[in-house]
Amino acid sequence: MLSARFDEALVFASNLHVRQVRKGSNIPYLSHLLSVTALVLENDGDEDEAIAALLHDAVEDQGGDATRQAIRRRFGEKVVTIVNGCTDADTLPKPPWHERKQRYIEHLASASPSILLVSAADKLHNARSLLRDYEVVGEQLWLRFRTGKEGVLWYYRSLIATYNTYYPTPLTAELTRTFRELETLIASTPYNLSAGITETN
C-alpha cells in the first residue's frame, strides 16, 4: 500500500514540473511522471521505486544537486539513489548528447534492479509517445530532436539491447515490441523528411 510519503512525493513532483510540458506539445510533463509511476507499480515496484519514478527527471530538469539534496531529505537514500541512476546529466550546459547517452547506456550494465525498473518504465512510456506521435505527424516528429531520427533510433536500439541483456522482464519485452512497431511504421512511410534541429532531452 502507498503511504503519505507517496502523496508528498506526488505534490513535490507536481510543484517541481508545473511549468514543464512534453516535447513538441502542450501536454503537462506530470503526465509522463504519472505514466512512468503507473508502469513501475504495475510491474511490482514498491513505494520507494514509485516515488523515484515520480522524481526520476527532477534532478536533471529541475535544479540539479539542490533538488537531489531535497529528495534525500524528504524521501531517503534509496529514492535518491534510484533517481541518480536515472539521471544522465545534472549540470548546465549538459555534456554533448551522444557522449552522455553512451555513458548512461554503459552504466545500466551495473545498475540495480530498482534503477533498471524505473529506467525501463521511463523509456517504455517515451517509446509509446514516439509511436503515437509518429502515427500523427510522421517524419515531422524528428524535427523535435537535435540529434535527429538516426540518433533517436540508435539510442533506443542500444537501450533495448542493454535491457534485454541485464533486465529481461515483461517490461523490457513490452518496450521491445513497442519500438519494433515504431520501426515497422517508419519503414512503411514513403516520405522521408531531413531531420531539423530543436531541443532534445
Side-chain angles (χ1 to χ4, degrees):
M1 297 295 292
L2 299 175
S3 73
R5 287 178 69 242
F6 181 85
D7 298 342
E8 181 183 354
L10 180 56
V11 173
F12 185 57
S14 181
N15 288 337
L16 282 174
H17 295 273
V18 66
R19 292 183 175 84
Q20 191 175 354
V21 296
R22 291 284 277 167
K23 192 185 308 297
S25 76
N26 292 316
I27 299 171
Y29 200 79
L30 185 63
S31 68
H32 170 63
L33 305 177
L34 292 171
S35 295
V36 174
T37 303
L39 285 167
V40 166
L41 290 170
E42 290 163 5
N43 285 272
D44 300 321
D46 63 22
E47 184 172 62
D48 283 328
E49 292 162 342
I51 290 171
L54 285 171
L55 300 172
H56 75 272
D57 280 331
V59 171
E60 184 169 333
D61 292 345
Q62 301 297 331
D65 191 59
T67 299
R68 175 185 290 112
Q69 299 309 323
I71 293 170
R72 177 177 281 112
R73 287 193 304 272
R74 286 172 176 247
F75 306 108
E77 198 62 37
K78 180 179 178 181
V79 170
V80 83
T81 297
I82 299 169
V83 172
N84 283 339
C86 294
T87 300
D88 70 22
D90 61 0
T91 58
L92 292 175
K94 293 179 179 181
W97 184 87
H98 192 279
E99 172 190 320
R100 59 190 167 88
K101 297 305 182 185
Q102 183 65 51
R103 190 165 57 235
Y104 182 81
I105 292 163
E106 291 170 357
H107 127 85
L108 292 175
S110 58
S112 69
S114 292
I115 291 170
L116 289 166
L117 169 60
V118 176
S119 175
D122 172 35
K123 300 308 182 283
L124 173 54
H125 184 249
N126 284 338
R128 286 176 175 176
S129 297
L130 286 172
L131 176 59
R132 180 197 62 218
D133 290 351
Y134 192 87
E135 289 173 334
V136 174
V137 303
E139 291 288 299
Q140 293 279 346
L141 174 65
W142 313 116
L143 294 173
R144 301 176 186 175
F145 301 94
R146 178 179 297 136
T147 186
K149 174 181 177 178
E150 293 309 314
V152 174
L153 297 183
W154 163 81
Y155 185 44
Y156 277 85
R157 287 169 184 148
S158 301
L159 284 166
I160 287 167
T162 301
Y163 292 132
N164 275 311
T165 300
Y166 298 101
Y167 190 65
T169 63
L171 184 62
T172 295
E174 186 176 354
L175 171 58
T176 303
R177 288 193 301 271
T178 301
F179 183 73
R180 297 295 176 246
E181 187 175 349
L182 174 62
E183 287 188 307
T184 299
L185 188 60
I186 291 169
S188 69
T189 301
Y191 175 63
N192 287 318
L193 178 71
S194 295
I197 299 177
T198 60
E199 184 56 37
T200 184
N201 194 26

